[in-house]
Amino acid sequence: MAAALVPLPRRRRPAARLLAAAVALFAAAGVLLTAAVLNAGQAALNATAAPQGACSQLLGVKKVALMFLTTRRLAHEKLWRLWLWDAANLLPLQALPALQDGLCGSDATAADAFWQRLRGDCSVVPPLVDTAGQGPTELPPQHLFTVYAHAPPDYQGLEYQPLLAGRVIPTRFKTWWGDISILDAEKALLREALKDPLNEKFALISDSDVPLYDPLTFYQQLMHEPRSRVRACANGWMNRDRWRDEMSTETMNGSHWRKSNQFFGLTRRHAEIVLNDQEAERSFREHCGGWYAHLNQWKECIADEHYVPTLLASLGLEDETYCRGWGLAYTDWSDNWIHPKSFKPRDVTPELLKKMRWNCENMTSAVEDSRHMFLPLEPLLAASSAQQACQALQAPMPPAGARSNGSDNGGSDSLLPLGSRRYAHPLDGACPLTARKLPAFTALRVRQLAVASCPNGAADFVESRAALVFKTERDPSVVLLRGTACTPDVLRQVLAPPLSAGTGTGLAAAAGAAGRRLLCTANRYSGGAAAQWLPEGLDWGELCDL
């Protein structure tokens, strides 16, 4: 796993000499990564996604399937882990009727049996701190989200990606940009996610995506949307020159040709339609792209941008999609190229996140509403009987994310009765919920921005020289984290160096802190030129977050 060296000019500047020495040290350290670690990672990679939670089954909680379509690794794996921690051990108020029926019924024996089952199936898992240097702990029970990931068959980076362990789907494809293989990977993700009957919404996420809202707002927004986040309407730029008459089928013709963002958000009904379709898929596979005789030229078709919206349009389902948006993710095409703009660390500011949100109406109100739309499990499980648990449901509860000392992310702390809480100010369905492309070298900056959105003082427990460089003032209008993810134990756990010296085989033990500092310093003074020598599976944000 040694990094390849690139010859430097004979007359080297001091920075070049420093860079060469650092790369040599890093390359020597790389060979010490043992086969045992790689084999363990591959074994975890081959595991299928974990089965649905018993708690969600008991209460019938509908979930959002997060489907990560990766080419190598998740650039923001630590951020997504923190983000999911913020949803830990919370139930949506949509589960309230099932709780009331089970705990507050007139049959005391049935209520007690339900309460006992609730305590068993929905037991709270506290944040666990990795004190033995054995690597990250599992995420706590998720009642809001399920995670699936598609990785290339030859993926070798799992040991650096705890979020993916046990969540990579078994059927995987080698994918290429613009190729029909992307569609194969998307359908493989849908096939696995649809196996869980409680998955209600299906969000496709790229390996360079970041969330634009906290998980509670993300969840409630999708659950309150009756339509799919796909643009299946005949408006906007659709690259009509990519259509050719050979693609026509009994139900699909040129009038149905559509274009949308590849990264969609589908309802369950639409996800089933996409997965079960064979006719339109066969047409795309055989005729989309290649030599267009009527144009006398070869063209790329980019099936992943056209297939889903064209299929839905051919079935007359345009009105079941959001026509003014482009899908789930914000994408910047201002560079006028075939690929969207890739942002740099210096671009990542609260102002950029607001722009990525399209400065949509109700941005603040939707976040405030969602705080009141979740129920912590602890009061119910701490009760001594079903009757007490029922009484806890009747009592006002603080909003999700409120701190024990009374401080939180702002807004009203009034203890609203559970039955009166509403997601009254939803976002428009065209408003993006994720954003791309933020490559791996922006990971540290993006995480710092997310942690800065925690309640005041929450992030002070994390000591990081790199974090001090990227110090960000908290902007209360940009909230990505606000609850469990902001506690010191979870922050230390997730933001720890990716390779623990306790394993005896990681890069931390091989190169040592001095070697990492040398390489990070060399990269900084070389203007990022050392990035080409970074071994697969690491990025500068991971390596230099010491």
Side-chain angles (χ1 to χ4, degrees):
M1 198 167 174
L5 295 176
V6 175
L8 293 172
R10 181 181 299 275
R11 298 182 62 182
R12 299 173 181 171
R13 293 176 296 177
R17 289 196 298 269
L18 179 63
L19 177 59
V23 170
L25 176 61
F26 194 79
V31 300
L32 296 180
L33 291 173
T34 65
V37 175
L38 295 178
N39 290 339
Q42 191 62 37
L45 176 65
N46 292 331
T48 58
Q52 61 191 20
C55 186
S56 299
Q57 293 182 57
L58 175 65
L59 301 175
V61 177
K62 300 298 184 181
K63 296 180 289 187
V64 175
L66 303 177
M67 306 185 302
F68 290 93
L69 181 62
T70 72
T71 55
R72 288 179 58 194
R73 60 191 299 275
L74 292 185
H76 303 280
E77 188 266 353
K78 285 186 177 181
L79 172 62
W80 283 106
R81 251 193 298 153
L82 279 175
W83 192 83
L84 287 168
W85 266 107
D86 233 27
N89 299 315
L90 291 177
L91 291 174
L93 284 194
Q94 287 90 328
L96 186 60
L99 285 168
Q100 290 173 330
D101 290 345
L103 294 172
C104 305
S106 57
D107 187 336
T109 302
D112 187 65
F114 180 87
W115 178 66
Q116 294 292 348
R117 185 178 173 189
L118 182 73
R119 295 185 68 185
D121 292 349
C122 301
S123 58
V124 172
V125 177
L128 299 177
V129 183
D130 177 23
T131 58
Q134 298 302 312
T137 58
E138 277 291 316
L139 289 171
Q142 290 293 317
H143 310 307
L144 310 180
F145 302 98
T146 49
V147 177
Y148 306 85
H150 178 279
D154 58 350
Y155 181 76
Q156 292 289 331
L158 188 66
E159 65 271 24
Y160 308 108
Q161 301 274 276
L163 179 61
L164 300 190
R167 298 176 178 90
V168 175
I169 62 175
T171 302
R172 307 194 298 277
F173 300 89
K174 185 69 175 177
T175 56
W176 290 269
W177 175 83
D179 187 73
I180 197 71
S181 57
I182 299 290
L183 181 57
D184 294 330
E186 292 176 358
K187 285 203 170 189
L189 283 165
L190 286 173
R191 184 174 295 106
E192 291 300 318
L194 282 166
K195 290 178 180 179
D196 187 338
L198 294 177
N199 283 337
E200 187 71 13
K201 296 298 176 76
F202 300 80
L204 187 66
I205 301 170
S206 85
D207 49 18
S208 67
D209 275 11
V210 299
L212 291 178
Y213 293 88
D214 64 275
L216 309 189
T217 305
F218 189 98
Y219 177 89
Q220 290 295 349
Q221 177 63 31
L222 285 179
M223 286 301 171
H224 278 78
E225 291 179 357
R227 304 178 184 182
S228 285
R229 284 178 166 262
V230 175
R231 189 174 189 169
C233 302
N235 54 18
W237 179 251
M238 291 183 287
N239 288 107
R240 292 186 182 275
D241 57 327
R242 292 175 178 172
W243 168 269
R244 56 181 175 185
D245 291 340
E246 293 90 333
M247 297 179 64
S248 297
T249 68
E250 290 186 7
T251 59
M252 183 178 72
N253 57 55
S255 69
H256 301 128
W257 188 250
R258 304 289 188 269
K259 180 178 180 178
S260 184
N261 191 313
Q262 168 193 357
F263 297 96
F264 52 66
L266 296 179
T267 63
R268 187 174 182 93
R269 175 171 177 252
H270 289 176
E272 290 171 341
I273 288 173
V274 170
L275 180 61
N276 294 329
D277 168 67
Q278 295 180 3
E279 184 180 58
E281 179 190 343
R282 185 182 306 110
S283 173
F284 270 78
R285 192 175 299 278
E286 294 176 356
H287 303 295
C288 186
W291 181 255
Y292 283 58
H294 66 290
L295 298 175
N296 196 33
Q297 69 179 104
W298 187 93
K299 296 187 67 65
E300 293 168 329
C301 181
I302 321 296
D304 52 83
E305 294 180 346
H306 297 283
Y307 169 71
V308 172
T310 299
L311 171 64
L312 296 179
S314 71
L315 298 175
L317 303 177
E318 297 101 323
D319 292 342
E320 296 181 16
T321 69
Y322 288 104
C323 298
R324 292 189 298 110
W326 278 101
L328 190 72
Y330 169 90
T331 308
D332 187 335
W333 293 100
S334 61
D335 287 347
N336 295 318
W337 197 45
I338 58 174
H339 297 295
K341 177 179 179 179
S342 289
F343 293 93
K344 299 177 175 61
R346 65 174 177 267
D347 299 326
V348 181
T349 63
E351 288 69 32
L352 177 65
L353 262 66
K354 293 175 188 176
K355 176 184 175 182
M356 289 173 162
R357 290 176 170 184
W358 285 3
N359 291 306
C360 281
E361 186 179 0
N362 291 339
M363 285 194 306
T364 303
S365 299
V367 171
E368 178 64 17
D369 285 351
S370 69
R371 298 171 70 243
H372 298 274
M373 292 292 295
F374 291 87
L375 173 69
L377 277 166
E378 289 91 336
L380 303 181
L381 303 181
S384 59
S385 65
Q387 183 179 9
Q388 276 195 5
C390 177
Q391 292 172 353
L393 287 177
Q394 314 305 323
M397 291 187 182
R403 308 278 290 171
S404 59
N405 62 5
S407 66
D408 63 16
N409 277 322
S412 172
D413 275 347
S414 57
L415 303 182
L416 299 175
L418 294 179
S420 66
R421 301 182 184 186
R422 299 288 184 273
Y423 188 64
H425 304 91
L427 299 166
D428 189 283
C431 296
L433 297 183
T434 61
R436 59 190 298 264
K437 293 171 82 172
L438 290 107
F441 53 77
T442 67
L444 177 60
R445 178 62 174 158
V446 173
R447 285 202 305 273
Q448 189 62 20
L449 190 64
V451 172
S453 72
C454 283
N456 291 331
D460 294 342
F461 296 96
V462 181
E463 297 178 1
S464 168
R465 288 188 295 278
L468 292 176
V469 174
F470 296 114
K471 188 68 174 178
T472 301
E473 294 299 323
R474 179 174 177 269
D475 186 333
S477 66
V478 179
V479 176
L480 296 179
L481 304 172
R482 59 185 173 186
T484 304
C486 295
T487 59
D489 284 349
V490 172
L491 286 171
R492 289 194 186 102
Q493 170 72 18
V494 176
L495 299 183
L499 291 173
S500 171
T503 65
T505 57
L507 185 61
R516 294 198 303 274
R517 285 197 299 271
L518 181 62
L519 189 64
C520 293
T521 301
N523 184 60
R524 183 173 60 185
Y525 284 102
S526 68
Q532 60 187 303
W533 294 307
L534 194 64
E536 184 173 349
L538 287 177
D539 62 57
W540 292 108
E542 300 281 0
L543 184 68
C544 301
D545 190 9
L546 304 177

